[in-house]
Each structure stands twice: as C-alpha cells, then as structure tokens.
Amino acid sequence: MKFLSNVQTTHKVFAALVLAVLYALPIFITSPVMLQIFILIFLYAYLTSSWNFVGGFAGVLPLGHSAFVGLGAYTSTLLYLTYNISPWIGMIAGGIVAAAFGLLIGLPTLKLRGAYFALATIAFAEGLRVLVENVEKLGPFEVRGPKGLLINLVGNSFKDFQFLSKVPYYYIILTMLVLVLILTFFMMRSKVGYYLAAGGEEPEAAEALGIKVSKYKLIAMAISCFLTALGGTFYAQLVLYFYPKSIMGLDMSYEIAFIALIGGRSTIMGPVLGAFLLRPVGELTRIYLGDTLPGLHLIIFGLVLIIVMRYQPRGLVEPVSRWLNILFDRIEKRRRA
Amino acid sequence: MALLEVKGVTKQFGGLTAVNSVDMEVQEGQIVGIIGPNGAGKTTLFSCIAGSHVPTKGSIKFNGTEIAGKKPYDICKLGVTRTFQVVKPFANKTVLYNTTVGAFAKTNRLDVAEEKAMEVLKLIDLYDKKDILAKNLTLPERKRLELARALATEPKLLLLDEVMAGLRPSEVAEMLPVIRKINSVGVSIIIVEHIMQAIMNLSEKVYVINFGKKIAEGDPHKVVADEEVIKAYLGDEYVANSH
Ligand SMILES: Nc1ncnc2c1ncn2[C@@H]1O[C@H](COP(=O)(O)OP(=O)(O)OP(=O)(O)O)[C@@H](O)[C@H]1O
Ligand SMILES: [Mg+2]
C-alpha cells in the first residue's frame, strides 16, 4: 500500500468514515423514494466519473455521452430479451459495443478542438437516437423503435439483475461508483494519466515530449464509453422500461457535463460533489414542477454553471477541498498536541 | 557518420521561404550554435528537425535514419527533443509534474519517472520550485522548465531554442556550466540564442542564418568577424564604413 503513504492519515480516516456511512445508510433510510434519490445521485456520479476519463483528463468536452448509456442499456436488454443472457454478461457486452462506437467516432473527432468536438458528439448522440427510434427490428433483435423496451418482471433474482427492494440497487451502484473512483485514482497516477493531462493542456509540447496524443485520447475515449455503458445497463435494470428519448436523450448528456463542470472536471471527487449538489435540485424540480416547467432543472444548472465558472472556474471541488484541508489540519494538530 | 545531417532543407509558408536549402551537420558530443537576426528561420529549422513542420524539400538524417516528415513523438523516441521558444508549460501542473511527463518517455512507472525528474530538476536548479504550479513561475524559470522537461526524456540530441532569453547576465553565467554539464554526459546540443556571450562560450561550431539561408559556418570567433555576418546583423553601411 505504498501508494497511499503520501495520503494524510486524516484523509484516509475521513474517506473511510464517509464510505462507512454510505454503506450503512440503507439500514436507517427505508423509504424507497429516498433510496431512489440516492441511487440516482450515485448513478450520475458514476456516469460523470466515467465521462471524466475523456471530458476531464483528455481535455475535450463530450456532450453526447447519453449515446453510450443507451448503447449499454439496449445491448444488455436486447441480449436478455432475445437470448435470455444474464444482464451481468450483457453489461460487459454493452461496454464493448460502446467502446467500439467510442473509438469509431473518436478517430475522426478527437483531433477537433473545443466546440467542434462538442458539436460532433452532440450530432452523433442525436443521430443514434433518431436511428434507434426508426428501427423496429435489427436481425433477431426486436428494437421496437420509439416504443422502447420493457423488461418482464421475474421478482428477486440476482442472475436477472432484478430486485423488488431498492436496497440491492443502492449497493450495486454505490460499489460501481467506488470502483470507478479507485480506477480514476490509479489512472491519475499512471503514465496514461500524465500523458492525457499533458496532451489535453498543450498538445504540441506533449508531442515534442514523445506523446502520441491522439492515441492516448482514444484510449481514454474507449475506457470512458465502456464504463458509461455499464451505467446504462444498471439504469435499464433499475427502471425496467425505457425508450430512446428516456435513455439516450441529450438532457442526460448535458446533465452529466453540468455535474462535471460545476463539481470540477479532471478531479476524483468533482463528479461526486457535483452529483450530490445538482441531482437533488433536478429531482425536486421534476417532482414539483415537472408538469408545468419541464426542463427547468437544466435552466437552473445553466445559471449555477455561469456563477461557478465566474468565481471557481475549476469547479466547486477546489474550495471544498481547501476547507476540508484546513479542517483536517486542525484535527491533526489537536491530535498531536 | 554525423549524428545529425541536414541536407538542402527548405520550408515554405505559402510564398514565404522561411528556411532556404540549409545544410548542417552535428557530430556526436558536439554543441553547435545557430545565430541569425529575428525572423531568419532558426525556429522553423528546429521545427523541421523535431517534426513539428514537414520540410518542403530536403533530407534530415539522425543516426543515419531519415526523419524528415516523421511525427514529433516518433522523433522524440528516436532521441531528438526540442524546447519551444514560446514556452508551452502544462500551466496548471507543478514543475515536478511537468518534468515527470518528460521522464515517462523512458519508463512506464511513476516512481521511476519522478525520480528521474527530480534528478533533472536538481541538475538545472529548479528543485526548490518543484511543487509550484508552472503558471506561477517567472519567464526565465519557465524557460528552464522547458529545458528540464526536454532533458528528462533523455535525448541524444537536444534542441534549445532561446532558453536563456530574458535571463540577467549573472543568470546566463549560471546556465553555461549547466548546459556544459548536460553535454558532458553525452547529450549533443544545438543551441539557438541571441545572447552572443552564451553562443561564443558554448559552441564548437556556429551556423549563421539570414533570410532562411545559411550565410556562414565554422569556428564562432572566426564567424563573427565574417563580413557577411556583420552585414546581416548591422546592415550594409556598417561594413562599408569600417573599410
Ligand atoms: N507557421 C508559420 N506560418 C507562416 N509563417 C511562419 C510560420 N512560422 C514562421 N513563419 C515565418 O517564417 C520566418 C522565420 O521565422 P522563425 O520563427 O523561424 O524565425 P527565427 O529565426 O526563429 O526568429 P526569432 O529570432 O525572432 O525567433 C518569419 O518570417 C516568420 O514570420
Ligand atoms: Mg525563433
């Protein structure tokens, strides 16, 4: 555990404490509505952390990641409905399909800078959604166009990735989130992480130092799309009914980007912080104003983004971690004294 | 065989010929200087050698391998690393991080790369700044960071583009032994500088470029006495008057 040696003890204790609380939470919170809110926070934190591999570390701004959520959901669900293949296996298949698509669109677009890349990813995501809406049947698979897919209920079954209670979903997505954060931690401390950061910030200097920037961006894209698709399968199994607009709409892509930018991209905890701050806002406006003002949450996010970019351009994770560090230092000093 | 052999290299930007049929040779272990007035084409020549530009014409051989037109990262892997006159640090990263990126050229392990980076930082006297973000460095420090990062890739040939610009004379005097030290461990160097003190002091051989063309080459002390060279720097009248 040498790699943890430079992390302060107080940090470790704090992280362990937060984890313990989160893993114990379902013992105290039994309301399915509350659990669902937490599940969606974790899901969005997970999706944003996956997005972060390319949107944060590779320094581009993908705005169509819902396409990969959709690819994951459709792949695992179609395999399940057609061949009764367990969604756990379908999940991996979905990841591979999404990674392949990611490479395919990354190859021509990752060389584009700034707004052009963002536009290209929007176009791809929208194109894919419209395509799915117009496909009734693809080989042996019943895609059912705009009607979407309904997963038949089988009750509690791990193999079928279905549970009557929200609690298993809670633990699955929390664990997925923890794993993706650990992966992020190691990626940032690896050659790939250094090369991605370098290529994202100063591509010309990076290339002069021996970095094939486009190759590392493609690696990031493949990882990001793979992980995003796993979240898509989880989402499909959570709701058990979805259609193109609900699972690959641009509002989800935008929300992921908002969470990343407001929380702090290219940091480990930025996406988590962003999801905890924004998700409840989204949920509340949807519950109370969803009928009269649909999409209000995106407007609110936009306003928050403007303010955050004005005063904390690197995201809210920066001031928050500064405060925590001050707090930790005080605790550390008191402990020593 | 020369370590670097440049033959008839020309680079045109539209109608402008920035580098015009330049020949140049660097032997293993040498420090070679390039001088010339502003806009003469020195940086463009570096860009052709390091792969940032594809030469319009000509051949560039490194260790006998043709590298003209190859990509910068491939050329770096062969052992040629450049610095940028207009510095390009990874601004939001620390000095150590910047240098570690360079050191990853020779290893896949972070601890090995960091160790190499720290060694380089000590060598070029940036070690006490290692935890400072690159954007908070002064310009001369950023120039030194360019050098550190390039050196961390362990090149066989280092192309230094005005790394001493902006330094005070006393700081230039401190840099000279550093560059000589780098050279003494087997790194050949091409150095572009306007600071004559540095060029005269370091280089075994000097190339003078004007309007993209090589107008003189050879021993630095002889070259600065050359009529063409004086003309290039000070204009025709100066030479005429001095007769
Ligand atoms: N990318 C480019 N596109 C068009 N013209 C260029 C480009 N790069 C350089 N030039 C032109 O080529 C000529 C040579 O420029 P270069 O930067 O190589 O000169 P230099 O000798 O390095 O000058 P300095 O001493 O000022 O650094 C100049 O006229 C410059 O304007
Ligand atoms: Mg120049």
Side-chain angles (χ1 to χ4, degrees):
Chain A
M1 290 281 135
K2 189 176 154 243
F3 70 92
L4 282 178
S5 59
N6 52 359
V7 181
Q8 263 184 40
T9 328
T10 7
H11 282 79
K12 282 186 243 175
V13 173
F14 179 73
L17 217 65
V18 169
L19 265 186
V21 168
L22 289 180
Y23 270 94
L25 211 59
I27 302 170
F28 307 106
I29 294 178
T30 44
S31 143
V33 177
M34 272 309 280
L35 278 178
Q36 179 82 352
I37 290 179
F38 271 100
I39 289 168
L40 287 176
I41 290 174
F42 295 155
L43 174 64
Y44 271 85
Y46 172 86
L47 291 175
T48 309
S49 299
S50 307
W51 177 94
N52 209 15
F53 278 82
V54 56
F57 301 107
V60 291
L61 191 67
L63 288 178
H65 256 46
S66 54
F68 306 108
V69 177
L71 282 172
Y74 268 94
T75 304
S76 61
T77 306
L78 286 174
L79 286 175
Y80 178 68
L81 294 178
T82 318
Y83 299 118
N84 202 27
I85 292 171
S86 164
W88 290 104
I89 297 168
M91 196 177 203
I92 304 298
I96 294 168
V97 169
F101 266 87
L103 287 175
L104 213 64
I105 71 149
L107 215 53
T109 57
L110 276 170
K111 292 210 166 89
L112 302 174
R113 292 212 78 173
Y116 299 105
F117 176 80
L119 280 175
T121 54
I122 292 176
F124 167 75
E126 275 300 87
L128 191 70
R129 178 181 65 77
V130 173
L131 199 72
V132 174
E133 278 178 349
N134 284 288
V135 174
E136 280 297 321
K137 222 169 138 50
L138 184 74
F141 301 114
E142 299 278 350
V143 180
R144 291 166 37 92
K147 295 189 292 294
L149 299 179
L150 180 69
I151 302 171
N152 27 312
L153 296 171
V154 294
N156 270 324
S157 162
F158 184 79
K159 176 188 138 295
D160 294 281
F161 206 139
Q162 274 189 41
F163 309 97
L164 296 174
S165 148
K166 292 282 178 204
V167 176
Y169 290 108
Y170 179 97
Y171 282 117
I172 290 169
I173 191 64
L174 176 57
T175 306
M176 283 170 71
L177 174 60
V178 170
L179 289 177
V180 81
L181 294 178
I182 292 173
L183 187 67
T184 309
F185 178 90
F186 280 107
M187 200 277 303
M188 284 176 82
R189 278 155 192 73
S190 73
K191 182 167 177 171
V192 176
Y194 274 67
Y195 273 19
L196 276 176
E201 219 175 300
E202 278 291 344
E204 214 187 335
E207 294 209 327
L209 295 172
I211 303 169
K212 191 171 178 182
V213 174
S214 54
K215 174 180 126 183
Y216 283 89
K217 283 191 175 172
L218 279 175
I219 292 175
M221 186 75 175
I223 296 174
S224 175
C225 296
F226 179 89
L227 294 171
T228 303
L230 304 190
T233 296
F234 173 85
Y235 189 51
Q237 297 304 129
L238 176 71
V239 293
L240 295 172
Y241 166 63
F242 59 88
Y243 48 95
K245 269 221 168 82
S246 77
I247 206 152
M248 48 204 311
L250 279 182
D251 48 348
M252 185 190 274
S253 299
Y254 294 154
E255 189 161 345
I256 291 171
F258 276 130
I259 289 173
L261 293 173
I262 291 170
R265 63 209 279 224
S266 55
T267 63
I268 298 178
M269 291 317 284
V272 180
L273 182 69
F276 265 93
L277 293 175
L278 295 192
R279 252 299 81 205
V281 177
E283 214 53 46
L284 289 176
T285 53
R286 219 162 314 183
I287 291 169
Y288 293 109
L289 299 160
D291 298 332
T292 44
L293 295 164
L296 177 69
H297 66 292
L298 286 179
I299 296 176
I300 296 175
F301 293 172
L303 291 174
V304 174
L305 181 70
I306 292 169
I307 296 168
V308 170
M309 286 300 112
R310 176 74 184 74
Y311 295 102
Q312 289 295 337
R314 313 237 271 137
L316 292 176
V317 76
E318 214 170 62
V320 169
S321 56
R322 209 166 34 232
W323 298 330
L324 280 178
N325 277 335
I326 293 171
L327 187 73
F328 290 159
D329 282 348
R330 290 225 179 111
I331 296 171
E332 193 89 1
K333 268 187 205 127
R334 200 160 297 173
R335 213 167 52 103
R336 292 227 177 99
Chain B
M1 184 181 63
L3 181 68
L4 183 78
E5 206 176 351
V6 175
K7 269 210 187 114
V9 164
T10 297
K11 176 70 192 177
Q12 289 173 325
F13 297 110
L16 176 93
T17 307
V19 175
N20 194 348
S21 196
V22 168
D23 295 332
M24 186 171 138
E25 256 186 34
V26 179
Q27 303 297 332
E28 184 136 21
Q30 262 184 336
I31 301 182
V32 168
I34 300 180
I35 56 172
N38 290 112
K42 305 177 295 293
T43 298
T44 308
L45 179 61
F46 266 15
S47 295
C48 289
I49 298 171
S52 320
H53 288 323
V54 179
T56 315
K57 266 196 297 229
S59 130
I60 304 170
K61 285 206 170 113
F62 178 70
N63 258 334
T65 316
E66 182 64 49
I67 56 168
K70 275 202 197 310
K71 297 288 182 197
Y73 41 82
D74 289 327
I75 292 175
C76 174
K77 280 190 190 120
L78 288 172
V80 182
T81 308
R82 74 172 296 183
T83 64
F84 290 91
Q85 178 181 357
V86 181
V87 292
K88 299 180 191 298
F90 309 122
N92 291 313
K93 299 285 188 277
T94 63
V95 166
L96 179 61
Y97 194 106
N98 270 267
T99 316
T100 306
V101 170
F104 267 124
K106 285 286 180 327
T107 176
N108 292 324
R109 288 185 41 188
L110 176 60
D111 51 348
V112 178
E114 272 191 340
E115 206 159 303
K116 172 81 201 167
M118 294 207 261
E119 198 181 290
V120 169
L121 289 173
K122 277 179 196 149
L123 177 74
I124 67 155
D125 214 9
L126 262 182
Y127 185 76
D128 49 339
K129 297 259 153 63
K130 74 177 168 51
D131 297 320
I132 292 179
L133 295 184
K135 64 176 173 195
N136 296 330
L137 295 176
T138 64
L139 184 63
E141 284 168 347
R142 283 185 219 194
K143 295 251 173 191
R144 255 189 295 162
L145 180 58
E146 279 282 324
L147 171 57
R149 231 169 33 171
L151 191 58
T153 66
E154 298 185 17
K156 294 194 196 84
L157 177 65
L158 193 53
L159 311 180
L160 302 180
D161 198 350
E162 300 199 23
V163 287
M164 285 181 251
L167 295 190
R168 282 191 292 268
S170 63
E171 292 168 326
V172 171
E174 279 168 32
M175 276 296 274
L176 298 180
V178 173
I179 290 177
R180 237 191 247 103
K181 203 151 142 200
I182 295 168
N183 178 241
S184 71
V185 296
V187 183
S188 311
I189 297 172
I190 308 180
I191 171 170
V192 166
E193 273 311 329
H194 285 291
I195 304 171
M196 287 311 280
Q197 175 203 358
I199 288 281
M200 302 296 281
N201 193 300
L202 289 171
S203 22
E204 259 175 69
K205 184 165 75 169
V206 171
Y207 288 88
V208 188
I209 297 183
N210 193 23
F211 293 115
K213 271 205 159 113
K214 184 174 78 182
I215 57 168
E217 72 171 278
D219 178 272
H221 296 276
K222 288 205 187 103
V223 159
V224 292
D226 186 292
E227 204 164 287
E228 280 278 328
V229 177
I230 297 169
K231 238 195 273 180
Y233 272 94
L234 301 167
D236 291 330
E237 313 94 76
Y238 184 87
V239 179
N241 292 344
S242 68
H243 277 292

Short mmCIF file of all heavy atoms in Angstrom, two decimals, chain A residues 264-295:
data_model
loop_
_atom_site.label_atom_id
_atom_site.label_comp_id
_atom_site.label_asym_id
_atom_site.label_seq_id
_atom_site.Cartn_x
_atom_site.Cartn_y
_atom_site.Cartn_z
N GLY A 264 -16.27 19.93 -10.77
CA GLY A 264 -14.83 20.05 -11.02
C GLY A 264 -14.35 18.89 -11.86
O GLY A 264 -14.23 17.78 -11.37
N ARG A 265 -14.08 19.19 -13.17
CA ARG A 265 -13.63 18.10 -14.03
C ARG A 265 -12.16 17.80 -13.76
O ARG A 265 -11.48 18.58 -13.10
CB ARG A 265 -13.87 18.42 -15.51
CG ARG A 265 -13.11 19.62 -16.03
CD ARG A 265 -13.85 20.28 -17.16
NE ARG A 265 -13.63 19.60 -18.43
CZ ARG A 265 -13.37 20.25 -19.59
NH1 ARG A 265 -13.31 21.55 -19.62
NH2 ARG A 265 -13.20 19.57 -20.70
N SER A 266 -11.72 16.69 -14.24
CA SER A 266 -10.36 16.16 -14.04
C SER A 266 -9.93 16.15 -12.58
O SER A 266 -8.77 16.34 -12.26
CB SER A 266 -9.33 16.84 -14.94
OG SER A 266 -9.36 18.23 -14.78
N THR A 267 -10.89 15.94 -11.68
CA THR A 267 -10.57 15.64 -10.29
C THR A 267 -11.32 14.36 -9.94
O THR A 267 -12.26 13.98 -10.63
CB THR A 267 -11.03 16.74 -9.34
OG1 THR A 267 -12.47 16.83 -9.39
CG2 THR A 267 -10.44 18.09 -9.71
N ILE A 268 -10.89 13.71 -8.86
CA ILE A 268 -11.56 12.47 -8.48
C ILE A 268 -12.94 12.77 -7.89
O ILE A 268 -13.94 12.16 -8.25
CB ILE A 268 -10.72 11.68 -7.47
CG1 ILE A 268 -9.39 11.28 -8.11
CG2 ILE A 268 -11.46 10.43 -7.01
CD1 ILE A 268 -8.46 10.54 -7.18
N MET A 269 -12.99 13.74 -6.99
CA MET A 269 -14.22 13.95 -6.24
C MET A 269 -15.17 14.96 -6.87
O MET A 269 -16.32 15.06 -6.46
CB MET A 269 -13.89 14.36 -4.80
CG MET A 269 -13.27 13.25 -3.96
SD MET A 269 -14.05 11.63 -4.17
CE MET A 269 -15.53 11.87 -3.20
N GLY A 270 -14.72 15.70 -7.89
CA GLY A 270 -15.58 16.68 -8.55
C GLY A 270 -16.92 16.11 -8.99
O GLY A 270 -17.97 16.67 -8.65
N PRO A 271 -16.92 15.00 -9.74
CA PRO A 271 -18.19 14.44 -10.20
C PRO A 271 -19.11 14.02 -9.04
O PRO A 271 -20.33 14.18 -9.13
CB PRO A 271 -17.76 13.21 -11.01
CG PRO A 271 -16.39 13.53 -11.48
CD PRO A 271 -15.77 14.33 -10.37
N VAL A 272 -18.53 13.52 -7.97
CA VAL A 272 -19.34 13.09 -6.83
C VAL A 272 -19.98 14.31 -6.17
O VAL A 272 -21.19 14.35 -5.91
CB VAL A 272 -18.48 12.32 -5.81
CG1 VAL A 272 -19.33 11.87 -4.63
CG2 VAL A 272 -17.80 11.14 -6.48
N LEU A 273 -19.16 15.32 -5.95
CA LEU A 273 -19.67 16.56 -5.35
C LEU A 273 -20.76 17.17 -6.22
O LEU A 273 -21.84 17.54 -5.74
CB LEU A 273 -18.51 17.55 -5.17
CG LEU A 273 -18.86 18.88 -4.52
CD1 LEU A 273 -19.21 18.66 -3.05
CD2 LEU A 273 -17.70 19.86 -4.65
N GLY A 274 -20.48 17.24 -7.52
CA GLY A 274 -21.45 17.81 -8.46
C GLY A 274 -22.76 17.05 -8.43
O GLY A 274 -23.84 17.65 -8.42
N ALA A 275 -22.69 15.73 -8.41
CA ALA A 275 -23.92 14.93 -8.41
C ALA A 275 -24.71 15.15 -7.12
O ALA A 275 -25.94 15.27 -7.14
CB ALA A 275 -23.58 13.45 -8.58
N PHE A 276 -24.01 15.23 -5.99
CA PHE A 276 -24.70 15.45 -4.71
C PHE A 276 -25.37 16.83 -4.68
O PHE A 276 -26.41 17.01 -4.04
CB PHE A 276 -23.73 15.31 -3.54
CG PHE A 276 -23.76 13.93 -2.94
CD1 PHE A 276 -22.87 12.95 -3.38
CD2 PHE A 276 -24.69 13.59 -1.97
CE1 PHE A 276 -22.91 11.66 -2.85
CE2 PHE A 276 -24.74 12.31 -1.43
CZ PHE A 276 -23.84 11.34 -1.87
N LEU A 277 -24.76 17.81 -5.35
CA LEU A 277 -25.34 19.16 -5.34
C LEU A 277 -26.48 19.30 -6.34
O LEU A 277 -27.51 19.90 -6.05
CB LEU A 277 -24.25 20.19 -5.65
CG LEU A 277 -23.15 20.37 -4.60
CD1 LEU A 277 -22.09 21.33 -5.11
CD2 LEU A 277 -23.75 20.86 -3.29
N LEU A 278 -26.29 18.77 -7.55
CA LEU A 278 -27.23 19.05 -8.63
C LEU A 278 -28.40 18.08 -8.71
O LEU A 278 -29.51 18.46 -9.04
CB LEU A 278 -26.51 19.06 -9.98
CG LEU A 278 -25.47 20.15 -10.19
CD1 LEU A 278 -25.07 20.21 -11.65
CD2 LEU A 278 -26.01 21.50 -9.75
N ARG A 279 -28.11 16.81 -8.46
CA ARG A 279 -29.14 15.79 -8.60
C ARG A 279 -30.40 16.11 -7.79
O ARG A 279 -31.50 16.09 -8.31
CB ARG A 279 -28.57 14.45 -8.16
CG ARG A 279 -28.28 13.42 -9.20
CD ARG A 279 -29.31 12.90 -10.05
NE ARG A 279 -29.81 13.54 -11.20
CZ ARG A 279 -31.04 13.30 -11.65
NH1 ARG A 279 -31.83 12.47 -11.04
NH2 ARG A 279 -31.46 13.89 -12.73
N PRO A 280 -30.26 16.44 -6.50
CA PRO A 280 -31.47 16.73 -5.72
C PRO A 280 -32.26 17.90 -6.32
O PRO A 280 -33.49 17.87 -6.35
CB PRO A 280 -30.92 17.09 -4.34
CG PRO A 280 -29.61 16.38 -4.27
CD PRO A 280 -29.06 16.44 -5.65
N VAL A 281 -31.54 18.91 -6.84
CA VAL A 281 -32.23 20.03 -7.48
C VAL A 281 -33.06 19.51 -8.66
O VAL A 281 -34.24 19.84 -8.81
CB VAL A 281 -31.22 21.09 -7.99
CG1 VAL A 281 -31.94 22.21 -8.72
CG2 VAL A 281 -30.40 21.63 -6.82
N GLY A 282 -32.42 18.68 -9.47
CA GLY A 282 -33.12 18.10 -10.62
C GLY A 282 -34.34 17.31 -10.18
O GLY A 282 -35.43 17.43 -10.75
N GLU A 283 -34.17 16.53 -9.14
CA GLU A 283 -35.23 15.66 -8.65
C GLU A 283 -36.40 16.50 -8.13
O GLU A 283 -37.56 16.25 -8.46
CB GLU A 283 -34.66 14.76 -7.53
CG GLU A 283 -35.25 13.39 -7.48
CD GLU A 283 -35.17 12.68 -8.82
OE1 GLU A 283 -34.09 12.69 -9.47
OE2 GLU A 283 -36.20 12.11 -9.23
N LEU A 284 -36.09 17.50 -7.32
CA LEU A 284 -37.14 18.33 -6.71
C LEU A 284 -37.92 19.11 -7.76
O LEU A 284 -39.15 19.15 -7.71
CB LEU A 284 -36.53 19.29 -5.68
CG LEU A 284 -36.02 18.59 -4.40
CD1 LEU A 284 -35.35 19.59 -3.47
CD2 LEU A 284 -37.17 17.88 -3.69
N THR A 285 -37.20 19.73 -8.71
CA THR A 285 -37.95 20.49 -9.73
C THR A 285 -38.81 19.54 -10.56
O THR A 285 -39.91 19.90 -10.97
CB THR A 285 -37.01 21.25 -10.69
OG1 THR A 285 -36.07 20.34 -11.23
CG2 THR A 285 -36.30 22.37 -9.98
N ARG A 286 -38.31 18.31 -10.75
CA ARG A 286 -39.09 17.37 -11.55
C ARG A 286 -40.35 16.95 -10.78
O ARG A 286 -41.43 16.84 -11.34
CB ARG A 286 -38.25 16.14 -11.90
CG ARG A 286 -38.51 15.67 -13.30
CD ARG A 286 -37.41 14.77 -13.82
NE ARG A 286 -36.08 15.33 -13.53
CZ ARG A 286 -34.95 14.77 -13.91
NH1 ARG A 286 -34.95 13.64 -14.58
NH2 ARG A 286 -33.80 15.32 -13.62
N ILE A 287 -40.21 16.74 -9.48
CA ILE A 287 -41.35 16.30 -8.68
C ILE A 287 -42.39 17.41 -8.57
O ILE A 287 -43.58 17.20 -8.81
CB ILE A 287 -40.89 15.87 -7.26
CG1 ILE A 287 -40.06 14.58 -7.36
CG2 ILE A 287 -42.10 15.64 -6.35
CD1 ILE A 287 -39.34 14.21 -6.08
N TYR A 288 -41.93 18.63 -8.29
CA TYR A 288 -42.89 19.70 -8.01
C TYR A 288 -43.29 20.52 -9.23
O TYR A 288 -44.37 21.07 -9.29
CB TYR A 288 -42.34 20.62 -6.91
CG TYR A 288 -42.26 19.90 -5.60
CD1 TYR A 288 -41.04 19.55 -5.04
CD2 TYR A 288 -43.43 19.52 -4.92
CE1 TYR A 288 -40.95 18.86 -3.85
CE2 TYR A 288 -43.35 18.81 -3.73
CZ TYR A 288 -42.11 18.49 -3.19
OH TYR A 288 -42.04 17.80 -2.02
N LEU A 289 -42.39 20.63 -10.20
CA LEU A 289 -42.68 21.50 -11.34
C LEU A 289 -42.57 20.77 -12.67
O LEU A 289 -42.62 21.39 -13.72
CB LEU A 289 -41.73 22.70 -11.33
CG LEU A 289 -41.79 23.61 -10.10
CD1 LEU A 289 -40.54 24.43 -9.97
CD2 LEU A 289 -43.02 24.51 -10.17
N GLY A 290 -42.41 19.44 -12.60
CA GLY A 290 -42.17 18.66 -13.80
C GLY A 290 -43.25 18.84 -14.85
O GLY A 290 -42.97 18.85 -16.05
N ASP A 291 -44.52 19.02 -14.41
CA ASP A 291 -45.61 19.12 -15.38
C ASP A 291 -45.68 20.51 -15.99
O ASP A 291 -45.88 20.65 -17.20
CB ASP A 291 -46.96 18.81 -14.69
CG ASP A 291 -46.96 17.39 -14.16
OD1 ASP A 291 -46.24 16.55 -14.77
OD2 ASP A 291 -47.64 17.11 -13.16
N THR A 292 -45.49 21.53 -15.13
CA THR A 292 -45.64 22.89 -15.64
C THR A 292 -44.38 23.39 -16.31
O THR A 292 -44.44 24.08 -17.32
CB THR A 292 -46.01 23.86 -14.49
OG1 THR A 292 -45.15 23.55 -13.38
CG2 THR A 292 -47.46 23.69 -14.08
N LEU A 293 -43.23 23.05 -15.77
CA LEU A 293 -41.97 23.58 -16.30
C LEU A 293 -40.93 22.48 -16.53
O LEU A 293 -39.91 22.44 -15.85
CB LEU A 293 -41.38 24.63 -15.35
CG LEU A 293 -42.16 25.92 -15.14
CD1 LEU A 293 -41.66 26.65 -13.91
CD2 LEU A 293 -42.04 26.80 -16.37
N PRO A 294 -41.19 21.57 -17.46
CA PRO A 294 -40.20 20.52 -17.68
C PRO A 294 -38.90 21.14 -18.20
O PRO A 294 -38.94 22.11 -18.96
CB PRO A 294 -40.86 19.63 -18.74
CG PRO A 294 -41.83 20.50 -19.44
CD PRO A 294 -42.29 21.52 -18.42
N GLY A 295 -37.79 20.60 -17.77
CA GLY A 295 -36.51 21.14 -18.25
C GLY A 295 -36.02 22.30 -17.40
O GLY A 295 -34.94 22.83 -17.64
#
